[in-house]
Structure formats: structure tokens, C-alpha cells
Amino acid sequence: MRLKDKTILVSAAGQGIGRASAIACAREGAKVIAVDINEATLSSLPDECPGVEVHRLDVCDRNRIAELAGKLPPLDGLFNCAGFVHHGTILDVSEEDWAFSFDLNVASMYRMSKAFLPGMLEQAKSNGSASILNMSSMASSIKGFPVRALYGATKAAVIGLTKSIAADFVKDGLRCNALCPGTVDTPSLRGRIAAADDPVEAEKNFIARQPMGRLATVDDMTPMVVYLLSDESQFVSGQAILVDGGVTI
Ligand code: NAD
């Protein structure tokens, strides 16, 4: 039980990496608070994993975040997982696209971290550690990828925010790291494949960019999520950690 006695909040927990992470953390003994904007997907989570507490939350809604932070016990772990993949070069990015992606992919992490940080610092003081994990990506943050101009800009910003939080609170026992996955088979990836002009070719191309010859599964991600939220990683902070099947070798 690597997360025994820890209270961990996971965003985007309705599906994909967030959902798998919420389940993995609960199975390692954490009290998991799972949030998502999609009540329908979220509501089936406690059936799949009894004990997980669910709350509908839009991570762009500052007031609701503050309300929830006021109600919940202090957190030991916060996994800011919510994000959106914009497809296109810089020429395809409208002002509205830019504002939307930065709001969801970056400002949400600022809001969530700021709201939950005071409680996390209390936890770190009494228990010796607390951990924030921010979802970045291999795409553009580490290596440039075509048609990911806006997405890459947001995920690079996530790494900057992560390093700043890590630097500011390293002496207080609070760690902050970023996870940079390769291409993971999730409902939204399936949506991106289906939306392509030639979905069969699109899937082949997604697989071809992974040197290991396959897409990642959500279960390829969860061991690193558990590690970074557990005390096993207590000497690790401010890192952008790649789990990318060798893409950036
Ligand atoms: P997904 O895209 O399939 O699901 C995203 C979840 O986020 C959904 O349940 C959705 O309802 C929720 N969500 C969307 N807007 C929200 C909001 N405003 N407030 C709260 N919840 C909201 O899941 P995924 O593919 O696992 O992606 C999760 C994260 O991982 C994203 O940040 C994504 O950028 C990142 N990521 C994904 C991949 C990949 O290949 N799938 C690779 C690298 C990074």
C-alpha cells in the first residue's frame, strides 16, 4: 500500500489517464477524490473502484475550485491531469483557441495548485511530504511535433509552472513534478484518430512515431503517477519525467 493514509485529488478522472490514475491510487491505499467536468463518466467510477469520492468540477471555474478546497480535507497529493489537444500549426490557431487551451491546460493548474497549496503545505509540515503532479506531454515540451503549436506551447508552460512551484516550496517538503507521456490510447486519442481524413493512416502514424511499435496504455502511465505521488519519490522535485516509449531517445 504505497499511498496508505494519503488523500489525493485527481482531475480529468472521468476517463483516460486521469481515471486510471484515480483507480491506481485508490488500489495503493489512498483516499481518492476524483473530479471531472463530465458527470456521466465520473459517476461510474465508484462502481468500478469503491471508496473513490467523486465531485463534478470544471477546473476552469475558480469559484467552484475555492468552494471545493474549503470543503475537502487537506491534500497530500494533487494530480492536475485535465487538458485538451489542439490540432494545427500556428496558422490554424485562433485567439479563441489560444485562450481556451491556455485556460484549460495551464491556468487550471495555477488555480487548482493555488487553492489546494495551503492545505498541502500543512500536510507537508506534519507528515514530511506532499506532492503536486502536473500533466505535461512529450509533445513540444521536450521534442517538437508537427501540428501541435498551441498544445506544445501550453505543455511547455506547464513545465515552467512546475519548476517554479518546485523551487518555491522545496524547503517546505512540497514537491512538484510534471509527467510527459508519449501517445496514450485514451478516448480523446481515439477521437483524434476518428476525426482524421484517413483514420486508418492516422492510427498507423501515431503508432509509427513510437519506437516501441505500439501506443501506450493508461496502465503504462499509472506506475509513474503512483511513484510521483508517493513518498518513494521524496528526493524528486521540479522534473519533467518522460514515459514515452522511447520517442525522445
Ligand atoms: P481524455 O482527453 O480522453 O479525457 C480528458 C478528461 O478531461 C475528460 O474526462 C474530460 O471530461 C475532462 N475535462 C475536460 N475539460 C475539463 C474541465 N474543464 N474540468 C475538468 N475536467 C475536464 O484523457 P487523456 O487522453 O488521458 O488526457 C489527459 C491528460 O493527459 C491531458 O492533459 C492530455 O493533454 C494529457 N496527455 C495525453 C496524451 C495522450 O496521448 N492521450 C499524451 C500526453 C499527454
Side-chain angles (χ1 to χ4, degrees):
M1 288 292 191
R2 297 155 70 198
L3 296 170
K4 192 172 172 290
D5 299 328
K6 294 210 181 283
T7 301
I8 293 176
L9 188 147
V10 180
S11 76
Q15 65 184 37
I17 303 166
R19 186 183 183 99
S21 298
I23 293 169
C25 290
R27 290 189 176 148
E28 287 295 345
K31 163 75 195 156
V32 172
I33 297 149
V35 304
D36 198 290
I37 198 170
N38 185 334
E39 213 158 5
T41 52
L42 195 60
S43 63
S44 64
L45 188 51
D47 297 333
E48 193 179 344
C49 191
V52 171
E53 180 180 325
V54 296
H55 295 270
R56 183 187 177 278
L57 180 72
D58 176 354
V59 292
C60 298
D61 183 340
R62 182 165 45 94
N63 294 333
R64 258 295 277 145
I65 292 170
E67 193 187 313
L68 192 63
K71 273 193 212 152
L72 293 177
L75 303 180
D76 303 286
L78 169 63
F79 181 17
N80 290 313
C81 183
F84 171 76
V85 181
H86 178 274
H87 178 92
T89 73
I90 192 167
L91 298 174
D92 304 309
V93 178
S94 69
E95 290 283 340
E96 291 73 25
D97 294 335
W98 185 271
F100 174 79
S101 281
F102 265 88
D103 197 33
L104 176 53
N105 294 11
V106 189
S108 70
M109 296 189 185
Y110 143 72
R111 292 185 197 105
M112 292 286 284
S113 301
K114 190 171 173 184
F116 287 99
L117 195 63
M120 295 186 79
L121 288 171
E122 270 172 41
Q123 289 301 93
K125 204 170 180 183
S126 49
N127 304 334
S129 83
S131 172
I132 296 177
L133 177 58
N134 292 328
M135 180 57 97
S136 182
S137 169
M138 70 170 178
S140 300
S141 51
I142 304 292
K143 175 180 159 69
F145 281 86
V147 292
R148 289 291 179 266
L150 174 52
Y151 183 67
T154 64
K155 292 303 188 181
V158 167
I159 294 176
L161 177 65
T162 298
K163 287 180 185 289
S164 297
I165 293 172
D168 285 336
F169 299 101
V170 65
K171 291 195 190 311
D172 301 301
L174 183 116
R175 292 171 291 114
C176 186
N177 292 289
L179 180 65
C180 302
T183 310
V184 189
D185 199 348
T186 65
S188 71
L189 179 79
R190 288 289 150 196
R192 291 191 282 286
I193 290 170
D197 293 339
D198 181 346
V200 174
E201 193 57 27
E203 182 167 6
K204 273 193 202 151
N205 289 340
F206 274 123
I207 294 170
R209 72 183 193 184
Q210 301 285 138
M212 289 190 185
R214 64 170 178 86
L215 299 172
T217 67
V218 291
D219 297 326
D220 288 318
M221 299 300 129
T222 54
M224 186 58 83
V225 171
V226 168
Y227 168 72
L228 290 170
L229 292 170
S230 79
D231 292 343
E232 292 165 12
S233 60
Q234 59 190 317
F235 212 57
V236 181
S237 194
Q239 302 306 305
I241 296 183
L242 284 148
V243 183
D244 69 354
V247 174
T248 53
I249 289 171

